[in-house]
């Protein structure tokens, strides 16, 4: 039963704001109505407290560190709020939910644009004039194809070519 609640909690954590609360409330009836427990209220407090502590740690520490380290998806907070308002105006609440993933997908495909178009868009999305240079450095670092080990053994040396 713990595995089932763990999987449901994992899935519910993708629903903003309400999901973790619903996931924490799911085991409440199971704990309270379990006749084998001598003190179900204590077990309920421990279960809810543990869920709350884990959500706090992951939501406020671990996820923040992971998001800050991912520089390729960096966007200015004002742009995110503007995009939420814009997509909310177009598609309502669904647009507000989809605004950030849509722009993240658009930003992830920026490499297909020529620098003439890409650089101003990056400056707008990140709110920084250094964004194009940072993007180019990140792209070169991530996408430079390295030669497999041993490939130099297959090529003739310069002296063999002459």
């Amino acid at each position: 039963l713990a595995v089932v609640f763990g999987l449901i909690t994992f899935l519910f954590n993708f629903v903003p704001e309400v999901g973790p609360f619903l996931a924490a409330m799911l085991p409440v009836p199971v704990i309270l109505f379990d006749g084998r427990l001598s003190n179900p209220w204590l077990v309920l407090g421990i279960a809810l407290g543990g869920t709350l502590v884990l959500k706090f740690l992951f939501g406020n520490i671990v996820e923040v560190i992971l998001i800050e380290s991912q520089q390729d998806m960096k966007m200015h907070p004002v742009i995110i709020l503007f995009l939420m308002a814009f997509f909310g105006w177009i598609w309502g609440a669904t647009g507000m939910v989809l605004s950030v993933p849509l722009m993240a997908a658009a930003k992830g495909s920026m490499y297909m644009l020529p620098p003439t178009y890409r650089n101003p868009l990056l400056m707008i999305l990140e709110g920084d004039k250094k964004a194009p240079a940072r993007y180019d450095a990140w792209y070169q670092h991530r996408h430079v194809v390295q030669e497999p080990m041993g490939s130099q053994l297959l090529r003739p040396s310069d002296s063999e070519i002459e």
Side-chain angles (χ1 to χ4, degrees):
L1 197 55
V3 173
V4 172
F5 284 129
L7 288 173
I8 292 172
T9 301
F10 173 76
L11 294 174
F12 274 21
N13 277 328
F14 287 104
V15 179
E17 307 302 326
V18 183
F21 176 74
L22 292 175
M25 292 298 126
L26 278 177
V28 169
V30 174
I31 293 171
L32 288 179
F33 296 127
D34 189 356
R36 298 173 293 169
L37 299 174
S38 59
N39 193 354
W41 291 101
L42 177 65
V43 175
L44 178 65
I46 291 171
L48 290 177
T51 304
L52 187 68
V53 166
L54 286 175
K55 181 61 182 164
F56 177 80
L57 287 175
F58 278 93
N60 294 321
I61 298 171
V62 175
E63 288 178 7
V64 171
I65 291 171
L66 289 174
I67 290 170
E68 284 179 350
S69 68
Q70 191 176 11
Q71 292 295 316
D72 54 327
M73 288 295 149
K74 182 179 176 184
M75 282 194 268
H76 197 275
V78 174
I79 295 298
I80 292 174
L81 290 174
F82 171 75
L83 292 170
M84 285 182 67
F86 178 72
F87 283 106
W89 175 64
I90 293 174
W91 292 327
T94 305
M96 294 178 88
V97 171
L98 292 177
S99 63
V100 175
L102 285 173
M103 287 314 298
K107 189 165 184 210
S109 60
M110 287 277 183
Y111 69 92
M112 292 189 279
L113 293 174
T116 309
Y117 300 119
R118 181 183 63 227
N119 293 346
L121 287 174
L122 286 171
M123 285 190 277
I124 291 169
L125 287 176
E126 292 187 22
D128 188 8
K129 290 184 178 183
K130 298 176 185 173
R134 194 172 41 246
Y135 182 83
D136 290 338
W138 170 83
Y139 188 80
Q140 290 299 322
H141 175 72
R142 285 286 197 154
H143 295 94
V144 169
V145 178
Q146 296 180 358
E147 295 181 20
M149 293 182 76
S151 63
Q152 63 272 13
L153 299 175
L154 301 175
R155 284 194 218 146
S157 64
D158 290 338
S159 61
E160 292 175 2
I161 295 174
E162 295 174 355

